[in-house]
Amino acid sequence: LIRRPGLRRPSTVFFLSDYGAADEFVGVVHAVVARHAPSTRVIDLAHGVPTFDVAAGAATLERAVDHLGDGVVLAVVDPGVGGSRRAIAFQVAAARGPRWFVGPDNGLLMPAADRRGGVRAAIELVRGDVPSTFDGRDLLAPAAAALSRGVRLTSLGPAVDSQGLERLAPPVLLLESVDSGSSGRIVAVVTWIDRFGNVQLAARPSDLAAAPTGSLQLRVGDASGPPPAIAAQPVRRVGAFVDLAADELGLLVDANGHLAVVLREASAGERLGVSVGARIELAWGP
Amino acid sequence: LIRRPGLRRPSTVFFLSDYGAADEFVGVVHAVVARHAPSTRVIDLAHGVPTFDVAAGAATLERAVDHLGDGVVLAVVDPGVGGSRRAIAFQVAAARGPRWFVGPDNGLLMPAADRRGGVRAAIELVRGDVPSTFDGRDLLAPAAAALSRGVRLTSLGPAVDSQGLERLAPPVLLLESVDSGSSGRIVAVVTWIDRFGNVQLAARPSDLAAAPTGSLQLRVGDASGPPPAIAAQPVRRVGAFVDLAADELGLLVDANGHLAVVLREASAGERLGVSVGARIELAWGP
Amino acid sequence: LIRRPGLRRPSTVFFLSDYGAADEFVGVVHAVVARHAPSTRVIDLAHGVPTFDVAAGAATLERAVDHLGDGVVLAVVDPGVGGSRRAIAFQVAAARGPRWFVGPDNGLLMPAADRRGGVRAAIELVRGDVPSTFDGRDLLAPAAAALSRGVRLTSLGPAVDSQGLERLAPPVLLLESVDSGSSGRIVAVVTWIDRFGNVQLAARPSDLAAAPTGSLQLRVGDASGPPPAIAAQPVRRVGAFVDLAADELGLLVDANGHLAVVLREASAGERLGVSVGARIELAWGP
């Protein structure tokens, strides 16, 4: 294998999966990376992604990627393991942050890669005679380790067309402005509910450019479908959790630049009775 | 930024939070520390502190702190994030063990700091224009990283009066000796129930100096309030779990020097039906 | 303490326990290893072993051990802590992989040690006046740290007979072939149900050498006891999860070389209603 020139310092593998904390999956991958690249550090990004939930894994990685330094992203949420889906590795365009990504070709890596300038060159990792149920250990971890110690991407497998990589459908977001702008609404899907119960939406502050700065009306349910599951309730736009009274629903810009529905020291997700994939309507006007 | 002289080896950041294991919060903080201080090691103390529970986080850190080597403690349990509570960093007096502490000024750090000789010098970390919902990532982790690579405390922010730092109310403990010492009781709050169901009390063996060495009577409930929730039951003072018969309640000195109510290979917390904050009465005499 | 000659590079401690993720137990052990062996890396294998479940811990370690590099295994699942069970450390015969093992003498380490060529030399770690409820922190972690930095095994305690170390009873497996081989069955105990709900059996493909390659009949329950809990249902032998239709039970060779009953993107453990210790009958023929 051919080394890249000029690699100066031990690198980092940033590792995300749906392996959970109970079993030895994560630990074994750490051990495999250490065997293949003894000087590489492994930083666990998250392993609590719901099992088989590629979209949740992709959203998690997208939220984290701008905060990572130089290194290799290794991500495994892989319901198609052992089947015809390809395993891939690629380099992204951004000069700073993680330069290489390794994982299944099922869309998991792409939202994060897009934030890092998009895919510049991609290869397929070809499973030889290794077993087919634990690619994370047997195929992906060795590749990430190799990249972290300076092995050239092109020496790891045949080139593939980066335009042909799988992509997930983007989360649903509907923008609607009526009555010459005096009233309007957006409908956004819930992309994440964190440990604190904050409900992150597939919407950003700019999507509410036409809305007033005070309170909006929130409803849970599909905008174009049957009657909403619960009645409209006010939600107040605030800058921080502490601006809210106890039990008052708030809407703030979270640490990732998304809109999030929150309560102060309580779970907005439980209060609204929603989970990831639910749709939230935010409306204003007479 | 000015370096301290004489720093010889890469340092350690000891990281505790209520971030949990499911989301990417912990991983992102690791990545931020690695970006700001590439040679620093991060050791996770615990991230399963109940959300927003500053007292539980403080107790966890207090239990751990005597076992830590040189380095920086980074602790984040922070219901007031984004509000008027200050973020702080300080140095403690003890020459060995962790020298610097970084976290919110809400009492979280103080019991551990007291065990390390108390606060010697403190500064405020001033949030500039960074977002206000993830101080752990944006404000506290960079400060901990800076201290770990030798940046002087006083270069990180304006000095504050260490006497004015917030403190939590201490856990409740009532000592009562009656009948010229032939009978007596203590009432102690439950400060922790660990994974094994051991019920740690806010009391130490010295608080039972007047009690006999055999069995005591245990009741759950508030000492001065209504009738206790359950009848008194015997609890036997033992040196180790294996001294107990199956299903026999024991009282031992746990690994942190506290009294703990335990069962052998079973959960005393479930058996007593208590959680953190409950009060346990231990009584003796006729 | 006497160093082994020729140790060239910082070593690794591979750490497994039933300490869970909520409390500070794991973090404190990391800190203790770092204090005693500052250059040693600690890799967490798993800490979600069910509390007190020595057999589950032993199975986890056995699955992981072949993937580990040079270093020290530190494993703690220890219901007998503080009692008469010994704490031990030993060296295994295999020249590659982890050379030293540290833990309680309760059988936990032995299946993994057997995979590494068996125990070559063993010593007892004698608890002096350290407290008796947290040997992982006070006795075992310092010993693992010492071995990782090159201290000789024999300098850590008195030699013990490696033939006298405790062993667990092996998992139950019954092989039965009837009707001149045209029909037959095996009964295997469930040794592990992973996060994805895959049901690992105490059986390997060779145990089904006499069985056909297509579908088998699966029943849950004890082979020699009362009627099985549920009726027989077909299970199809496949090479990968993706070979299965939705809701079709499959039998594959998992990443550890064991037979496992699985569903595609769903939990076979929930579907069968089984947990670790249950017995699965696989039968074939008229």
Side-chain angles (χ1 to χ4, degrees):
Chain A
L1 293 177
I2 301 164
R3 300 280 178 114
R4 296 188 306 272
L7 190 82
R8 292 188 315 264
R9 84 149 66 117
S11 187
T12 303
V13 167
F14 302 100
F15 179 25
L16 175 144
S17 77
D18 64 347
Y19 287 166
D23 305 308
E24 75 278 13
F25 302 128
V26 170
V28 165
V29 166
H30 276 244
V32 169
V33 172
R35 259 179 37 223
H36 286 79
S39 310
T40 293
R41 158 171 51 192
V42 179
I43 291 181
D44 293 303
L45 290 181
H47 299 292
V49 174
T51 52
F52 309 123
D53 192 337
V54 179
T60 304
L61 186 58
E62 183 185 12
R63 291 192 301 267
V65 73
D66 287 352
H67 304 284
L68 310 183
D70 185 30
V72 182
V73 168
L74 168 63
V76 193
V77 181
D78 192 11
V81 64
S84 59
R85 76 96 187 90
R86 299 181 297 189
I88 53 172
F90 57 74
Q91 183 175 356
V92 293
R96 299 172 59 103
R99 305 270 305 274
W100 293 272
F101 288 64
V102 177
D105 180 22
N106 62 8
L108 174 69
L109 305 172
M110 302 309 284
D114 288 344
R115 288 195 74 85
R116 307 311 303 165
V119 178
R120 213 174 72 177
I123 61 101
E124 179 177 356
L125 297 166
V126 181
R127 190 194 300 123
D129 52 0
V130 298
S132 56
T133 61
F134 196 174
D135 276 355
R137 179 190 73 188
D138 299 324
L139 184 65
L140 303 175
L147 290 167
S148 78
R149 62 190 171 82
V151 172
R152 281 182 195 278
L153 180 70
T154 51
S155 72
L156 293 179
V160 296
D161 179 8
S162 62
Q163 299 302 312
L165 300 179
E166 293 290 329
R167 286 181 171 276
L168 301 166
V172 175
L173 175 64
L174 168 72
L175 302 178
E176 198 173 288
S177 177
V178 294
D179 295 344
S180 311
S182 71
S183 69
R185 63 180 188 127
I186 70 170
V187 178
V189 76
V190 173
T191 52
W192 181 37
I193 299 178
D194 70 20
R195 186 184 196 217
F196 302 92
N198 303 313
V199 177
Q200 189 179 66
L201 304 180
R204 293 176 177 274
S206 57
D207 299 322
L208 285 180
T213 56
S215 285
L216 307 176
Q217 292 296 314
L218 179 152
R219 290 196 302 178
V220 175
D222 188 284
S224 58
I230 61 168
Q233 50 191 313
V235 56
R236 188 158 66 90
R237 301 178 72 174
V238 293
F241 295 97
V242 295
D243 298 334
L244 292 165
D247 210 37
E248 183 190 19
L249 274 181
L251 185 71
L252 53 68
V253 182
D254 73 9
N256 308 294
H258 285 260
L259 294 172
V261 183
V262 304
L263 288 172
R264 177 174 179 168
E265 296 185 41
S267 168
E270 283 183 18
R271 161 78 173 276
L272 296 177
V274 297
S275 52
V276 170
R279 294 179 188 199
I280 300 285
E281 179 192 86
L282 298 171
W284 61 93
Chain B
L1 294 176
I2 301 166
R3 300 279 178 116
R4 295 188 305 273
L7 191 80
R8 292 188 316 265
R9 82 150 66 116
S11 187
T12 303
V13 168
F14 302 99
F15 179 24
L16 174 143
S17 76
D18 64 348
Y19 288 166
D23 304 309
E24 76 277 13
F25 301 129
V26 170
V28 165
V29 166
H30 276 245
V32 169
V33 171
R35 260 180 36 225
H36 285 81
S39 310
T40 292
R41 158 171 51 190
V42 180
I43 291 180
D44 294 302
L45 290 180
H47 299 293
V49 174
T51 52
F52 309 124
D53 191 337
V54 178
T60 304
L61 186 58
E62 184 186 11
R63 290 192 301 267
V65 73
D66 286 352
H67 304 284
L68 310 182
D70 185 29
V72 182
V73 168
L74 168 63
V76 193
V77 181
D78 193 11
V81 64
S84 58
R85 76 95 188 91
R86 299 182 296 190
I88 53 172
F90 57 74
Q91 183 176 356
V92 293
R96 299 172 59 105
R99 305 270 306 273
W100 293 273
F101 288 65
V102 177
D105 179 23
N106 62 8
L108 175 68
L109 306 172
M110 301 311 282
D114 288 345
R115 288 195 74 85
R116 308 310 304 164
V119 178
R120 213 174 72 177
I123 61 103
E124 180 178 357
L125 297 166
V126 181
R127 190 194 299 123
D129 53 0
V130 299
S132 57
T133 60
F134 196 175
D135 275 356
R137 178 189 74 190
D138 299 324
L139 185 64
L140 303 175
L147 290 167
S148 78
R149 62 189 172 83
V151 171
R152 280 182 195 278
L153 180 70
T154 51
S155 71
L156 293 179
V160 297
D161 178 7
S162 62
Q163 299 302 312
L165 300 180
E166 293 290 328
R167 285 179 172 277
L168 301 166
V172 175
L173 174 65
L174 168 72
L175 303 178
E176 199 172 286
S177 178
V178 293
D179 294 344
S180 311
S182 70
S183 69
R185 62 179 188 128
I186 70 169
V187 178
V189 76
V190 173
T191 51
W192 181 37
I193 299 177
D194 70 21
R195 186 186 196 216
F196 303 92
N198 302 314
V199 177
Q200 191 180 65
L201 304 180
R204 293 175 177 274
S206 56
D207 299 321
L208 285 180
T213 55
S215 286
L216 306 176
Q217 291 297 315
L218 180 152
R219 291 196 302 178
V220 175
D222 189 284
S224 59
I230 60 169
Q233 50 192 312
V235 57
R236 188 158 65 91
R237 301 178 73 174
V238 293
F241 295 97
V242 295
D243 298 333
L244 290 166
D247 209 39
E248 183 189 18
L249 273 182
L251 184 71
L252 53 68
V253 183
D254 72 9
N256 308 295
H258 284 259
L259 294 173
V261 183
V262 305
L263 288 172
R264 176 173 179 169
E265 295 184 43
S267 169
E270 284 183 17
R271 161 79 173 275
L272 296 176
V274 296
S275 52
V276 170
R279 296 181 187 198
I280 300 285
E281 178 192 86
L282 298 171
W284 61 93
Chain C
L1 293 178
I2 301 164
R3 300 279 178 116
R4 294 188 306 272
L7 191 80
R8 293 188 315 264
R9 82 150 65 117
S11 187
T12 303
V13 168
F14 302 98
F15 179 25
L16 175 143
S17 77
D18 64 348
Y19 288 165
D23 304 309
E24 76 278 11
F25 302 128
V26 171
V28 164
V29 166
H30 276 244
V32 168
V33 172
R35 260 179 37 224
H36 286 80
S39 310
T40 292
R41 158 172 50 191
V42 179
I43 290 181
D44 294 302
L45 290 180
H47 299 293
V49 174
T51 52
F52 309 124
D53 192 339
V54 178
T60 305
L61 186 58
E62 183 185 12
R63 290 192 301 268
V65 75
D66 286 352
H67 304 283
L68 310 182
D70 185 29
V72 182
V73 169
L74 168 63
V76 193
V77 181
D78 193 11
V81 64
S84 59
R85 77 94 186 92
R86 299 182 296 189
I88 53 172
F90 57 74
Q91 183 176 356
V92 293
R96 299 172 60 104
R99 305 270 305 274
W100 292 273
F101 288 65
V102 177
D105 179 23
N106 62 7
L108 174 68
L109 305 172
M110 301 310 283
D114 287 344
R115 288 195 74 84
R116 309 309 304 164
V119 178
R120 213 174 72 177
I123 61 101
E124 180 178 356
L125 297 166
V126 181
R127 189 194 299 123
D129 53 359
V130 299
S132 56
T133 61
F134 196 175
D135 275 357
R137 179 190 75 190
D138 299 324
L139 184 64
L140 303 175
L147 290 167
S148 78
R149 63 190 170 81
V151 172
R152 280 182 196 278
L153 180 70
T154 50
S155 71
L156 293 179
V160 296
D161 178 7
S162 62
Q163 299 301 313
L165 300 179
E166 293 290 328
R167 287 180 170 276
L168 300 167
V172 175
L173 174 64
L174 168 72
L175 302 178
E176 199 172 287
S177 178
V178 293
D179 293 345
S180 310
S182 70
S183 69
R185 63 181 187 126
I186 70 170
V187 178
V189 76
V190 173
T191 52
W192 182 36
I193 299 178
D194 70 20
R195 187 185 195 218
F196 303 92
N198 303 313
V199 177
Q200 190 178 67
L201 304 181
R204 293 175 177 274
S206 57
D207 299 322
L208 285 180
T213 56
S215 285
L216 306 176
Q217 292 296 315
L218 180 151
R219 290 195 301 177
V220 175
D222 189 285
S224 59
I230 61 169
Q233 50 192 313
V235 55
R236 188 158 65 91
R237 300 178 72 173
V238 294
F241 296 97
V242 295
D243 298 333
L244 291 166
D247 209 37
E248 183 189 19
L249 273 182
L251 184 72
L252 53 68
V253 182
D254 73 10
N256 307 295
H258 284 259
L259 294 172
V261 183
V262 304
L263 288 171
R264 177 174 178 167
E265 296 185 41
S267 169
E270 285 183 18
R271 162 80 172 275
L272 296 178
V274 296
S275 52
V276 170
R279 296 179 187 199
I280 300 284
E281 178 192 87
L282 298 170
W284 60 93

